């Protein structure tokens, strides 16, 4: 391969030839709509790098060859080509482009193509749209925007991760997320989590969230295999191409922009406010360690809140006689008084003086603050014939909804292009990103107050805890000292600091070898160094002597590639273009974690402040892929297009004898509206397209050999154990074959459009770690597994119901569905465990004949009359493990409406995800702890369900006995709540939702007003996001929020995530 | 210019070509983080640590509660039997059992018989515990995912009877291959290489195996126990408290402290309340010396106060919690097998009329003495208390069962198994926890099988369930094979 590459270059390099300019032409460009001259229009000689742009006066001069074609182009306008004649002046009048038919999109390897020539579906999203969504994580901004694109945000914490999947999950256990490519350089989108055992978990976000939306010029989503075939393995799940902004084309320009967003919880659980802490309707506080009556119990099955004592309650045998007996006399007609954690201490006795036992309905809602995100961006740019340059500085300052959480992100973005000669250009783009802040815990951890809300007694006064965080000796003041810290103490003392430096940069040289041939060489790197600390203060529940841990992550991916591009018009009707390139990708990852379990000096966080020897672990990983690829396109008469690609990869992660694999793709499209002379008033555009593509995929590093991992040595004895993953017998590459058929139609002079895509992908030989019965000696084995098929339909409808001079209304509807089917697994394996959902009651599997993400667990046993069967004790029967649901939605869709009236733009987006299931630990735990409203109310007898059975209370499960007759056995809820019957099905919810996702109102000040202020533009906008759940079937949680973070294992269950945020904000942009 | 550009491109091309070499891929794909070969002793050391921690749970919330040793005072739903197959797993197989299997292969190849024996004994010890928890489990086809001839990831479940039969074979083989003249060295983190201790442990474990199957296979048990008792040179057993199988830890190393070490000042938040039944059992027999070792007096009253299994709402300072010195200190030993258990086995065997060279009464008395001796206590006149005295009015079989259960404190696995096997103490064997979530279904009879088995090994699992009819709600109803009381 080495020699082949070198030879190839030599041949091409030696065939360099030169040509020269010989005269000068000039002219002006104006707009057909306004009649005014237009600045910054590109004037070039077709097929060469010769070109210029018009100045502020709309005029240009350009040195041109004797023959050729002069081209005038401007984004959003139709390109005009004029053959050069003897004339010296060429004027152009540009018309605006209608509905994107002639739109140019960036495709694989950065090759720009006319959208109409493509044989596959792509979706282009402008930087403005992304920015207007006011999301700091660019993935979230895609929610509901694009057909077939599934976005999953994790929660409302600052810096939390999000996940994106295009056209369903092709890989059973691998990464299903698309490849992110920024200015031609693939970047890392790993979800980073910091965790220790089961106590601490912090979602540190995903890599793509570092991309600054203010710097994005354009984003293209390449959905299918064809679109991504040239990116190889990692493009198998689609590719998201991001082009950052370049310098302006018409001289010096300054833009200053600020957006400010306010965030509040969208949805909090429905809490009860009738019963406080304790058990058996009894409670009094002594030490919060169970020294009082149930004061070490963190459940809300205690006495009634706000209860006015009756005379009969406090005599012997009365309901509250226990309180009197415990030494807390009550007065009839007054509210019950009990010693509580915040009751004053009687100096004489040292005991707490009883205080009224009252509800605090705002204890949790009051905890969440208004989050504020302020993004300020300043950009300088300049441009001309010599090239262009842009420098942008962005400060994003995010203060979370939970106290003391924040994330500050500073981005320095540079882009420059130098036209060294008329044939040689050099381009460099780079971003330096610095992120730091203090993030919130997430998942099932005591350091996630979100989880704590489900385990927090309802009477506890959080407002008191906010102002009384700790005692003078540093010990937390909490409503319970046995299980939970004061939530504010947790927020202010137990920290999860993050600090990251990231550099993404690329440099490329392009040389126009011949008028039909150019070559580009490029090198790019994505380098990041991230430090995540874990700070746990002295006296915490799980860390009495504190704890400090620090993890350093180092990631680097370097890509070096070359690409030859050729384009030749054989005749007026026939154009042939092709490209050939090669790439070396090297990916390195190291992580080093050190921690100390116990600190000598409280609250000094350093590895040297250690009572015990610090523990350090170090992990490193490297992989490399080398590739050669090529593409050829034929365009006939501007109506028939054919594209062929091929790529061969050599991957370091596969066995040496199997490490080379080739995969091709082919697409074809036919613009039949050009072929037949159709009435554009009826059918203005019609295209049919089809594609077939294969994408190969390699493995993770180090899967081939069995390894032994070390444990802490026992004294001087080393301890080793065999890895739990059985290495594969003979690993081969994965191969995904996808087919795609599409139809693009425009009607009524492009007023109405339909874009329909039907696809099928077949993934074979997936490399995955299959969970096996641990009784076989391993918990998993690495295999090449069978086949998973994905079939889907995507529809995009566009319409312009109203279009007048001053007013227009645009509607875009997208709808998509994806069905996966497991055709075969490996050998005798009929069912593959993907992961266990939060709480372990649900196992998410892929079973032969089933779909990706089937949820298995124990459910009810149903009578033929449809009701769950209960046993003689009134307890529901629990079935064997069976299929209960599936994590993936049936379909997704979005409707975007935008209105434009004299510089005022209003748009709103509603999106829906219908189907799929989610298991709710909030409801499971909240029912057991008694904090939710679902644990109170009256039973069929009209008595409180929580009352003892002898008082007519009790909970009656709505089921039937085996003979079909209704259940009649009431259960004492205080005891019964822990019965885990049918727990898989019982807490499983339909995850469907319809959300009012986004609304924005924008206004650009009239130019005559602006120019008086010596400005070029003033843009104002108001926006809101994640505004309301219009429809859902879940209780107490937002179905969009997943557990812990946005990784695959967090899908299909939720628990204790902080609520998602409803964001409202404004933006001001000034252009100088 | 043209020349310059040519050179520039040539340089880039050459640089690319220089990198474009895949010869180093094999090396690149070899993990720098883990080893591909390790000494077999290090695998056994790892397994020993893991096994000792897995099978001797002494805190409440599981077997220790079901044996009525230690119970929880909050979150009592576990003690009320809320546990189900979502909370259990078979990770012992992929963990220490697999490591031991690999170690046995490597040690056999190295002709290191003592280490083969150690690994076999640990394997047998682990398998007996697992099958006693669950009943039928994968055994003969287990651990074969990587078997070169018959790879199998769906091991069938073997009957407990057949597993017990093989445990005997394995333990006898291990005993026979031990060379007591050679030390296994310090990599043996259990007995520091003392092969005589291994021999005694292996044969005492054999006694435990025989006795546990004695109700269902009395002839096998009789022959086996008589063979061991009658031939102490071939089958030396634990014969003093000093050569009992006790594991001492490294109190100075946070990772290898005694597994139930607790910071003394944090007692109140630990879930180690002593069960009311054992407190009262000892009080009724004036066994205050051992009670003072087993439990701490309640912080408030200074009295020994136990908590009934499943009870919520008694204040912790009013309760006794598990003894600090012997069980919760950084250097507390893990009691794997004790001298008193060997003597109790002989007492029961003698009572069955088997010839073990000692009378039931003498063995019974010696066993109780050994239990006191284990903690350096004087037995005083304990043996003459009416509820203890062997030749008193009480049922002798019940006395042995009760005293053995008492002496096994706080080893929940063995305590729970013995209670299920003997039916003694009657209260422990029959009384449902306070507020049981399964009223009327009795006491727990087995550990619920992991739900994962229904997904990852469905056919074998279904066959195992079919082969053990009578299981109710995963954990009640019919007990395991040897549980016929």
């Amino acid at each position: 391969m080495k020699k082949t590459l070198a030879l190839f270059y030599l041949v091409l390099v030696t065939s360099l030839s030169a040509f020269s300019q010989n005269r000068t032409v000039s002219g002006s460009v104006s707009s057909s709509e306004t009649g005014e001259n237009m600045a910054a229009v590109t004037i070039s000689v077709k097929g060469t790098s010769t070109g210029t742009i018009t100045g502020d006066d709309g005029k240009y001069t350009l040195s041109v060859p004797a023959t050729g074609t002069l081209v005038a182009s401007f984004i959003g306008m139709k390109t005009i080509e004029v053959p050069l004649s003897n004339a010296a002046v060429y004027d152009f009048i540009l018309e605006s482009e209608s509905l994107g038919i002639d739109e140019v999109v960036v495709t694989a390897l950065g090759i720009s193509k006319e959208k109409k020539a493509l044989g596959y579906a792509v979706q282009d999203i402008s930087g403005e749209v992304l920015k207007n969504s006011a999301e700091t994580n660019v993935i979230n901004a895609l929610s509901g925007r694009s057909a077939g694109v599934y976005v999953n945000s994790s929660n409302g914490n600052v810096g939390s991760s999000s996940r994106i999947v295009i056209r369903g999950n092709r890989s059973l256990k691998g990464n299903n997320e698309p490849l992110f490519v920024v200015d031609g350089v693939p970047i890392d989108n790993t979800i980073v989590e910091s965790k220790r055992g089961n106590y601490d978990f912090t979602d540190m976000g995903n890599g793509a969230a570092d991309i600054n939306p203010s710097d994005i010029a354009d984003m293209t989503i390449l959905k299918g295999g064809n679109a991504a075939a040239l990116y190889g393995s990692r493009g198998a799940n689609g590719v998201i191409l991001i082009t950052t902004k370049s310098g302006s084309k018409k001289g010096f320009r300054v833009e200053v922009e600020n957006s400010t967003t306010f965030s509040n919880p969208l949805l909090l659980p429905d809490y009860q406010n009738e019963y406080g802490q304790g058990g058996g309707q009894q409670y009094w506080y002594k030490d919060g360690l169970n020294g009082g009556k149930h004061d070490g119990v963190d459940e809300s099955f205690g006495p009634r809140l706000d209860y006015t004592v009756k005379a009969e309650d406090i005599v012997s045998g009365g309901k509250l006689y226990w309180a009197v007996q415990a030494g807390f006399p009550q007065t009839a007609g007054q509210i019950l008084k009990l010693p509580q954690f915040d009751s004053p201490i009687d100096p004489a006795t040292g005991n707490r003086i009883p205080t009224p036992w009252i509800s605090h309905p705002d204890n949790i809602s009051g905890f969440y603050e208004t989050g504020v995100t302020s993004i300020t961006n300043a950009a300088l740019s300049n441009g001309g014939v010599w090239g262009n340059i842009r420098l942008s500085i962005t400060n994003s300052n995010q203060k979370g909804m939970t106290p003391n959480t924040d994330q500050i992100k500073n981005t320095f973005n540079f882009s420059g292009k130098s036209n060294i000669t008329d044939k040689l250009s050099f381009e460099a783009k780079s971003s330096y990103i610095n992120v730091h802040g203090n993030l919130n815990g997430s998942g099932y951890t005591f350091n996630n107050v979100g989880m704590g809300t489900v385990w927090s007694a309802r009477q506890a006064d959080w407002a008191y805890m906010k102002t009384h965080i700790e005692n003078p000796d540093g010990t937390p003041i909490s409503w319970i000292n046995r299980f939970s810290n004061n939530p504010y103490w947790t927020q202010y003392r137990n920290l999860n600091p993050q600090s990251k430096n990231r550099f993404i940069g690329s440099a490329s040289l392009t040389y126009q070898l011949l008028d039909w041939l150019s070559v580009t060489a490029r090198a790019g790197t994505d380098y990041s160094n991230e430090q995540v600390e874990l700070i746990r203060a002295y006296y915490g529940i799980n860390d009495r002597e504190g704890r400090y841990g620090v993890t350093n992550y180092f990631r680097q991916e370097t890509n070096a590639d070359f690409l030859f591009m050729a384009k030749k018009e054989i005749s007026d009707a026939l154009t042939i273009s092709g490209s050939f390139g090669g790439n070396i990708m090297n990916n390195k990852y190291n992580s080093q974690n050190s921690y100390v379990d116990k600190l000598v000096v409280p609250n000094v966080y350093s590895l040297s402040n250690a009572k015990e020897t610090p523990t350090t672990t170090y992990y490193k990983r490297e992989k490399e892929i080398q590739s050669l690829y090529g593409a050829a396109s034929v365009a006939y008469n501007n109506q028939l297009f054919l594209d062929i690609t091929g790529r061969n990869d050599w991957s370091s992660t596969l066995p040496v004898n199997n490490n080379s694999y080739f995969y091709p793709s082919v697409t074809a499209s036919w613009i039949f509206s050009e072929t037949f002379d159709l009435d554009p008033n009826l059918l203005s555009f019609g295209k049919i397209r089809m594609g077939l593509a294969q994408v190969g995929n390699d493995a993770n590093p180090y899967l081939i050999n069995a390894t032994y991992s070390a444990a802490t040595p026992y004294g001087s004895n080393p301890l080793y154990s065999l890895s739990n993953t059985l290495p594969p017998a003979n690993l081969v590459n994965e191969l995904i074959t996808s087919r795609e058929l599409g139809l693009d139609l425009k009607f009524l002079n492009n007023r109405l459009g339909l874009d329909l895509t039907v696809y099928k992908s077949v993934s074979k030989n997936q490399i995955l770690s299959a969970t096996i019965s641990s009784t076989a000696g391993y918990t998993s084995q690495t295999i090449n597994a069978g086949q998973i098929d994905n079939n889907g339909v995507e529809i995009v409808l566009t319409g312009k119901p109203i279009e007048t001079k001053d007013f227009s209304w645009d509607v875009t509807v997208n709808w998509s569905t994806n069905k996966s089917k497991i055709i075969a697994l490996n050998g005798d394996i009929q069912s593959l465990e993907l992961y266990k959902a939060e709480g372990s009651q649900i196992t998410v599997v892929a079973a032969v004949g089933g779909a990706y993400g089937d949820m298995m667990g124990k459910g009810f046993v149903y009578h033929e009359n449809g009701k769950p069967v209960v046993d003689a004790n009134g307890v529901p029967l629990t079935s064997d493990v069976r299929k209960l649901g599936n994590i993936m939605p049936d379909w997704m869709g979005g409707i975007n409406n935008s209105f434009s009236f004299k510089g005022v733009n209003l748009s709103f987006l509603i999106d829906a995800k219908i189907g799929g299931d989610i298991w709710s630990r909030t409801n499971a735990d909240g029912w057991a702890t008694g904090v939710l409203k679902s644990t109170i109310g009256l039973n069929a007898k009209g008595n409180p369900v929580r009352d003892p059975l002898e008082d007519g209370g009790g909970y009656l499960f709505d089921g039937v006995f085996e003979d079909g007759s209704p259940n009649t056995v009431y259960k004492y809820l205080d005891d019964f709540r822990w019965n885990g019957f049918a727990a898989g099905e019982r807490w499983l919810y339909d995850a469907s939702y319809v959300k009012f996702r986004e609304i924005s109102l924008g206004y650009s000040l009239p130019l005559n007003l602006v120019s008086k202020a010596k400005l070029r533009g003033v843009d104002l906008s108001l926006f809101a996001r994640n505004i309301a759940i219009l429809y859902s079937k879940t209780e107490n949680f937002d179905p969009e929020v997943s557990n812990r973070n946005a990784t695959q294992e967090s899908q299909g269950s939720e628990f204790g995530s902080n609520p998602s945020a409803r964001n409202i904000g404004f933006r001001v942009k000034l252009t100088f | 210019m043209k020349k310059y550009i040519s050179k520039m491109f040539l340089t880039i091309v050459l640089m690319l070509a220089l990198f474009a070499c895949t010869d180093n891929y094999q090396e690149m794909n070899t993990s720098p983080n883990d080893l591909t070969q390790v000494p077999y002793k290090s695998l056994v050391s790892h397994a020993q640590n893991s096994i000792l921690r897995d099978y001797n749970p002494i805190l409440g919330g599981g077997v220790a509660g079901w044996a009525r040793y230690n119970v929880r005072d909050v979150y009592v739903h576990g003690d009320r039997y809320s546990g189900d197959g979502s909370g259990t797993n078979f990770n012992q197989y992929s963990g220490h059992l697999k490591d031991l299997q690999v170690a046995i292969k490597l040690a056999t190849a190295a002709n290191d018989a003592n280490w083969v024996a150690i690994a076999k004994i640990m394997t047998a010890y682990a398998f007996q515990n697992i099958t006693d928890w669950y009943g039928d489990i994968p055994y003969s086809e287990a651990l074969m995912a990587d078997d070169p001839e018959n790879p199998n990831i769906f091991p069938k479940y073997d009957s407990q009877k057949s597993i017990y039969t093989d445990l005997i074979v394995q333990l006898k083989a291990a005993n026979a291959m031990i060379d007591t003249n050679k030390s296994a060295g310090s990599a043996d983190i259990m007995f520091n290489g003392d092969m005589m201790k291994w021999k005694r442990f292996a044969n005492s474990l054999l006694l435990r195996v025989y006795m546990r199957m004695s109700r269902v296979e009395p002839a096998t048990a009789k022959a086996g126990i008589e063979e061991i008792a009658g031939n102490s040179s071939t089958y030396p057993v634990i014969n003093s408290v000093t050569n009992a199988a006790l594991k001492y830890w490294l109190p100075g190393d946070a990772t290898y402290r005694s597994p139930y070490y607790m910071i003394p000042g944090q007692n109140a938040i630990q879930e180690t309340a002593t069960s009311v039944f054992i407190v009262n059992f000892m009080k009724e027999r004036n066994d205050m010396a051992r009670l003072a070792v087993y439990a701490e007096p309640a912080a408030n009253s200074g009295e020994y106060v136990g908590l009934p299994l499943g009870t919520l709402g008694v204040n912790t300072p009013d309760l006794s919690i598990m003894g600090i010195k012997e069980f919760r200190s950084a250097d507390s030993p893990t009691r794997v097998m004790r001298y008193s258990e060997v003597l109790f086995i002989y007492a029961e065997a003698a009572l069955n009329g088997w010839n073990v060279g000692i009378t039931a009464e003498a063995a019974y008395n010696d066993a109780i003495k050994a239990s006191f001796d284990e903690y350096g206590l004087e037995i005083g006149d304990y043996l003459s208390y009416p509820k203890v005295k062997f030749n008193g009015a009480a049922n002798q079989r019940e006395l042995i069962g009760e005293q053995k259960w008492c002496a096994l404190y706080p080893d929940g696995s063995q305590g729970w198994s013995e209670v299920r096997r003997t039916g003694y103490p009657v209260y422990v064997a029959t009384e449902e926890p306070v507020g049981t979530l399964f009223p009327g279904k009795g006491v727990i009879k087995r550990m619920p099988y992991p739900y994962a088995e229904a997904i990852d090994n469905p056919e074998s699992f279904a066959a195992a369930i079919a082969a053990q009819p009578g299981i109710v709600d995963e954990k009640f109803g019919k007990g395991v094979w040897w549980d016929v009381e």
Side-chain angles (χ1 to χ4, degrees), chain A residues 9 292 298 482 712 714 773, chain B residues 13 73 75 247 256 315 453:
Chain A
Y9 266 114
D298 55 356
R482 187 161 175 160
T712 309
Y714 187 93
S773 168
Chain B
V13 169
D73 64 331
Y75 295 130
K247 163 61 195 164
Y256 297 113
N315 303 328
E453 283 291 288

Side-chain angles (χ1 to χ4, degrees), chain A residues 790-857:
Chain A
N790 275 278
N791 291 291
V793 178
E794 289 163 6
I795 296 170
V796 181
L797 279 170
T798 48
K800 207 186 242 302
I802 300 174
E803 188 178 28
T804 67
K805 189 165 179 281
D806 289 332
F807 181 74
S808 68
W809 172 22
D810 284 280
V811 191
T812 307
V813 177
N814 71 67
W815 184 91
S816 63
T817 180
N818 181 80
K819 294 263 177 290
S820 64
K821 188 169 185 187
I822 316 297
I823 305 299
L825 291 170
N826 188 35
D828 297 332
I829 300 178
Q830 287 300 302
S831 177
L832 191 68
E833 179 181 327
L834 301 177
Y835 57 90
K836 285 191 174 62
E838 174 71 41
S840 295
Q841 291 292 349
I842 295 285
T843 304
V844 180
V845 304
V848 173
Y852 175 90
D854 279 348
M855 302 170 96
M856 306 288 288

Side-chain angles (χ1 to χ4, degrees), chain A residues 106-412:
Chain A
V106 181
T107 66
L109 306 178
I111 300 169
S112 295
K113 285 191 174 174
E114 281 178 293
K115 199 171 179 182
K116 70 176 182 188
L118 295 177
Y120 49 82
V122 298
Q123 196 140 359
D124 199 40
I125 294 173
S126 77
E128 282 302 302
V129 166
L130 298 174
K131 206 170 60 180
N132 285 337
S133 70
E135 286 281 358
T136 49
N137 191 337
V138 79
I139 289 182
N140 290 345
L142 298 175
S143 196
R145 286 269 167 216
S146 180
V149 175
Y150 174 100
V151 171
N152 196 279
S153 57
S154 50
N155 55 55
N157 287 330
V158 287
S160 63
S161 57
S162 292
R163 172 184 161 80
I164 178 165
V165 174
I166 300 172
R167 290 188 177 172
N169 296 280
R170 276 167 216 81
S171 172
L172 288 167
K173 297 194 84 172
N175 179 16
N176 277 304
E177 292 199 77
L179 176 69
F180 279 78
V181 177
V182 176
D183 297 323
V185 183
I187 63 147
D188 177 71
N189 185 30
T190 313
I191 292 176
V192 180
E193 58 193 34
S194 153
K195 66 178 171 187
R196 124 166 108 114
N198 293 318
Y199 292 126
D200 277 304
F201 182 93
T202 304
D203 175 9
M204 295 285 174
N206 58 297
D210 291 337
I211 304 163
N212 178 17
S214 304
D215 288 326
I216 297 177
D218 188 67
M219 183 189 268
T220 309
I221 303 174
L222 307 182
K223 291 177 186 170
N226 288 99
L230 285 174
Y231 279 108
S233 317
R234 298 184 303 171
N237 300 314
V239 179
I240 295 192
L241 293 175
I242 292 172
T243 309
T244 62
K245 290 178 180 165
S246 297
S248 76
K249 291 177 175 173
K250 61 166 175 185
F252 188 65
R253 178 183 279 248
V254 179
E255 283 177 7
V256 181
E257 185 177 21
N258 171 271
S259 72
T260 303
T261 311
F262 303 95
S263 310
N264 285 292
L266 176 65
L267 174 76
L268 287 175
D270 215 353
Y271 297 108
Q272 61 89 6
N273 288 296
E274 286 182 27
Y275 297 88
Q277 189 180 353
Q281 305 207 4
Q282 298 186 14
Y283 175 88
W284 53 266
Y285 183 89
K286 180 156 187 277
D287 54 12
L289 296 168
N290 235 19
K293 189 71 182 175
H294 296 184
D295 68 344
V297 171
D298 55 356
E299 297 153 14
S300 293
F301 275 83
R304 273 200 103 111
L305 293 163
D306 310 310
Y307 181 74
T308 306
V309 176
K310 297 193 188 89
E312 68 262 31
D313 293 338
I314 47 177
V315 295
S316 177
K319 268 201 304 196
L320 296 172
Y321 188 60
W322 57 268
V324 181
Q325 271 189 311
F328 314 114
Q330 306 294 329
T331 312
Q334 289 190 7
I335 300 280
L336 173 68
K337 284 183 182 162
L338 295 170
Q340 298 175 49
F341 84 98
D342 53 354
S343 302
I345 294 173
D346 181 345
T349 62
N351 294 329
R352 305 257 171 196
I353 302 163
T355 45
W357 183 249
I358 52 170
S359 60
H360 292 94
D362 298 333
N363 52 2
I364 288 162
S365 57
F367 172 75
Y368 294 101
E369 300 170 348
T370 297
V372 182
T373 304
S374 173
I375 303 174
T376 309
N377 168 260
L380 310 174
S381 65
N382 200 355
V385 187
W386 50 272
N388 60 59
I389 187 166
R390 179 177 185 269
L391 186 65
S392 141
I393 301 171
T394 307
N395 168 269
S396 158
N397 195 329
Q398 208 177 352
K399 178 180 125 12
M401 296 189 293
T402 51
N404 199 34
T405 57
D406 62 352
Q407 191 178 51
I408 294 143
K409 205 184 288 181
N410 291 306
T411 309
F412 300 87

